[in-house]
Amino acid sequence: MSERLWRILVDSFPKILLPGLKMTVPLTVIAFSLAMVIATVVALIQFAHVKVLTQIARFYIWVIRGTPLLVQLFVVYYGLPKVGVVMDAFPAAVLVFSINEGAYCAETMRGALESVPVGQIEAGYCAGLNFVQVMRRIVLPQALRTAFPPLSNSLISMVKDTSLAANITVTEMFMATQRVVARTYEPLALYLEVALIYLIFSTVLTWVQRMGEKKLSAYGVKEARHA
Amino acid sequence: MLEVRHLKKSFGGLTVLKDVSLRVNQGDVTAIIGPSGSGKTTFLRCLNLLEKADEGELVFDGQTYDLGHVSRRDIAAIRMRTGFVFQNFNLFSNKTALQNVTEGLIIARKMKKDEANAVAMQALGQVGLSDRAAYYPSQLSGGQQQRVAIARAMATKPDIVYFDEPTSALDPELIGEVLAVMRDLAASGMTMLVVTHEMRFARDVSNHVVFMEGGVIAEEGSSREFFANPREERTRAFLRSISEENR
Ligand SMILES: Nc1ncnc2c1ncn2[C@@H]1O[C@H](COP(=O)(O)OP(=O)(O)O)[C@@H](O)[C@H]1O
Ligand SMILES: [Mg+2]
């Protein structure tokens, strides 16, 4: 490797990592947290068969899962100003990513809720618990445990998908890399460098996921539900 | 202490219970026997509102409930004073044996945690599982799980406990330990309504036997009478088929 290339890589490293820490990570953390709230609410609405709301929930999931994330970003950031809804790039990205991720995770959560045996819910009622108590004490703890691995996967995917936010001018890691490339004309080395940083982020999350799963398996449940 | 009058229930077009009436006295152990599909499970489920009956009356502890139109509050009140033991145990798999028993005490009945733990430990002791209190259901055998379920049902001091084929899901060698616990419970004076295929239990432990077939009570009587002199031909046919099965 030439000395020039080496210097470019070293110099650019903080220029790429910093936007990563300042934009990519907050975008992921905030949007995913909101997505979890949306997903839980939407999944519970369907699980409890709340009448009109269930229809709305299905419609929401249908639309979001049926359209590309990139198109959703463009509609919100470039389209909505035409009807007077103007947003900065970062909040627009948070909004779109949380709504998008919320739809996918809602399906994961609904599946997890439905995987809790009906008999345990009935046993809860027979013990005198009401609906909310049964949900909080019996159903949700088991559903969250079931949903943990797939939700972790969603989070890891999301870290990578935030690179799409570059398209609506959010200066996250990928856009920062593009800028350095434009100055130095070293696309191969620099794109590999940013790929490596994404890989490190994902690896850390995978590691956290493993620890979480180990902790959750303390229930003594032997069967592997996600084998 | 409990009386059901004219209970009717259908699923879609299928009538499962056609006008069932039954009286249970304090301390009675009533066995419900009958072929599969005759409506025994549905009957028990209607009694504590896991299934909503089409019509029927429930007289329970001096109150009369219209089973076709029960308020949410009445449902809660009925369940607070009954216990239910399922065929498949249905223990909460995210809770230990002890927590399975304390859940209804602490969460539903607002008992203090220390007191609930003491009550639950005593209940687990009665079913011979004091040493398994900290185990999760997945770490227990089927027989042990069902005994925890029985402890869970009786720890709340219900007025009556319903059992829906409590030994049918068990390996043969585990049936005895569960029946022994139920026998102790019966001897302690607990009022029990037990759907069962165990004819020895029905004959030796219960004092009253109900034979259900096709959604009606075809015959009932004191267990001695019932087994010594079954009046109905279909009862005799059923008893014959059961004894052949067990041979
Ligand atoms: N939830 C349900 N939906 C439709 N049919 C049911 C339902 N539960 C029970 N049945 C039907 O009701 C009849 C009686 O069932 P059940 O009460 O389980 O009988 P048993 O316990 O005596 O075997 C059966 O024909 C069964 O298929
Ligand atoms: Mg049955």
Side-chain angles (χ1 to χ4, degrees), chain B residues 11-12 14 16-17 34-43 45 51 164-165 195:
Chain B
F11 291 107
L14 178 73
V16 175
L17 298 174
S36 162
S38 56
K40 307 179 297 294
T41 296
T42 307
F43 179 59
R45 289 172 61 84
E51 217 68 74
D164 187 13
E165 297 199 35
V195 173

Side-chain angles (χ1 to χ4, degrees), chain B residues 7-238:
Chain B
L7 179 60
K8 290 174 192 157
K9 171 71 185 171
S10 51
F11 291 107
L14 178 73
T15 305
V16 175
L17 298 174
K18 314 166 183 159
D19 197 355
V20 176
S21 299
L22 181 70
R23 254 186 90 99
V24 176
N25 295 314
Q26 178 83 44
D28 270 359
V29 177
T30 304
I32 302 178
I33 63 174
S36 162
S38 56
K40 307 179 297 294
T41 296
T42 307
F43 179 59
L44 287 193
R45 289 172 61 84
C46 284
L47 291 186
N48 78 343
L49 289 305
L50 287 176
E51 217 68 74
K52 191 178 156 296
D54 300 332
E55 24 181 313
E57 257 181 5
L58 175 69
V59 184
F60 183 42
D61 276 356
Q63 282 231 49
T64 304
Y65 303 94
D66 176 357
L67 289 175
H69 310 84
V70 215
S71 70
R72 203 173 285 196
R73 183 196 294 185
D74 283 345
I75 293 176
I78 290 170
R79 285 180 183 154
M80 280 294 195
R81 288 180 289 131
T82 58
F84 203 104
V85 175
F86 297 85
Q87 189 170 347
N88 316 309
F89 333 134
N90 289 339
L91 293 184
F92 310 131
S93 41
N94 59 326
K95 305 208 173 285
T96 62
L98 183 70
Q99 290 166 340
N100 262 275
V101 182
T102 57
E103 198 65 15
L105 300 172
I106 298 172
I107 305 302
R109 290 166 184 77
K110 309 294 174 212
M111 196 183 276
K112 290 246 164 47
K113 197 175 168 195
D114 291 347
E115 191 189 347
N117 280 342
V119 170
M121 281 312 296
Q122 205 209 338
L124 286 175
Q126 280 174 33
V127 300
L129 288 173
S130 304
D131 56 337
R132 294 289 187 273
Y135 283 52
Y136 284 94
S138 62
Q139 299 166 322
L140 298 171
S141 73
Q144 291 170 332
Q145 288 187 56
Q146 193 61 299
R147 282 148 67 198
V148 172
I150 292 172
R152 175 174 70 179
M154 64 192 228
T156 57
K157 309 261 184 298
D159 297 331
I160 184 167
V161 183
Y162 304 119
F163 293 80
D164 187 13
E165 297 199 35
T167 58
S168 293
L170 295 174
D171 291 337
E173 73 272 19
L174 301 177
I175 292 176
E177 64 190 62
V178 171
L179 289 180
V181 162
M182 292 173 61
R183 203 166 283 142
D184 289 349
L185 198 55
S188 77
M190 179 64 82
T191 310
M192 297 158 66
L193 191 51
V194 186
V195 173
T196 185
H197 279 302
E198 294 293 326
M199 288 307 130
R200 282 227 354 235
F201 180 87
R203 192 169 42 223
D204 302 345
V205 183
S206 74
N207 60 325
H208 194 81
V209 179
V210 172
F211 173 58
M212 264 182 99
E213 196 191 39
V216 295
I217 292 179
E219 179 166 355
E220 65 175 309
S222 77
S223 58
R224 196 174 313 145
E225 264 310 273
F226 183 93
F227 286 105
N229 296 307
R231 293 185 304 269
E232 302 279 330
E233 175 47 37
R234 45 187 173 168
T235 311
R236 287 194 283 269
F238 176 74

Side-chain angles (χ1 to χ4, degrees), chain A residues 179-221:
Chain A
R179 284 181 179 166
V180 183
V181 170
R183 258 192 302 108
T184 59
Y185 306 107
E186 286 293 349
L188 179 61
L190 288 165
Y191 287 138
L192 284 176
E193 183 173 35
V194 74
L196 182 71
I197 298 176
Y198 277 116
L199 185 62
I200 292 169
F201 281 16
S202 304
T203 306
V204 169
L205 286 175
T206 308
W207 182 64
V208 172
Q209 173 183 359
R210 292 250 171 78
M211 291 205 311
E213 278 173 28
K214 229 177 240 156
K215 192 152 192 180
L216 287 172
S217 68
Y219 278 165
V221 173

Side-chain angles (χ1 to χ4, degrees), chain A:
Chain A
M1 204 183 290
S2 77
E3 198 173 315
R4 174 184 165 271
L5 184 58
W6 183 247
R7 173 143 334 109
I8 290 175
L9 284 179
V10 171
D11 286 349
S12 63
F13 187 75
K15 292 199 187 101
I16 297 173
L17 186 62
L18 220 60
L21 296 177
K22 269 170 40 192
M23 285 290 187
T24 302
V25 171
L27 176 57
T28 307
V29 169
I30 299 171
F32 196 76
S33 308
L34 291 174
M36 285 299 97
V37 175
I38 296 173
T40 308
V41 172
V42 170
L44 283 174
I45 284 170
Q46 295 179 86
F47 187 72
H49 303 292
V50 186
K51 283 213 168 73
V52 183
L53 292 180
T54 298
Q55 304 288 311
I56 297 173
R58 296 241 169 90
F59 179 78
Y60 157 68
I61 291 167
W62 175 65
V63 169
I64 297 298
R65 295 209 310 172
T67 54
L69 176 56
L70 192 56
V71 173
Q72 294 165 12
L73 281 167
F74 274 52
V75 166
V76 169
Y77 187 67
Y78 296 117
L80 286 188
K82 289 276 177 264
V83 291
V85 183
V86 184
M87 259 182 283
D88 284 343
F90 187 79
V94 168
L95 182 73
V96 171
F97 276 99
S98 49
I99 287 179
N100 182 278
E101 198 65 23
Y104 285 92
C105 295
E107 286 296 271
T108 305
M109 290 284 275
R110 188 173 62 91
L113 288 171
E114 282 167 4
S115 77
V116 177
V118 178
Q120 289 189 36
I121 298 174
E122 293 183 341
Y125 289 140
C126 288
L129 274 57
N130 60 32
F131 176 77
V132 173
Q133 291 167 334
V134 165
M135 290 306 295
R136 221 184 56 228
R137 312 271 318 169
I138 315 296
V139 179
L140 277 174
Q142 294 186 54
L144 288 177
R145 219 178 71 129
T146 306
F148 186 80
L151 290 180
S152 306
N153 290 338
S154 298
L155 174 60
I156 291 169
S157 298
M158 191 173 176
V159 175
K160 295 173 289 174
D161 289 346
T162 53
S163 58
L164 287 174
N167 291 288
I168 60 165
T169 75
V170 176
T171 45
E172 43 65 70
M173 289 207 292
F174 186 61
M175 171 168 278
T177 313
Q178 283 176 313
R179 284 181 179 166
V180 183
V181 170
R183 258 192 302 108
T184 59
Y185 306 107
E186 286 293 349
L188 179 61
L190 288 165
Y191 287 138
L192 284 176
E193 183 173 35
V194 74
L196 182 71
I197 298 176
Y198 277 116
L199 185 62
I200 292 169
F201 281 16
S202 304
T203 306
V204 169
L205 286 175
T206 308
W207 182 64
V208 172
Q209 173 183 359
R210 292 250 171 78
M211 291 205 311
E213 278 173 28
K214 229 177 240 156
K215 192 152 192 180
L216 287 172
S217 68
Y219 278 165
V221 173
K222 277 176 252 162
E223 83 273 337
R225 284 183 177 178
H226 289 270

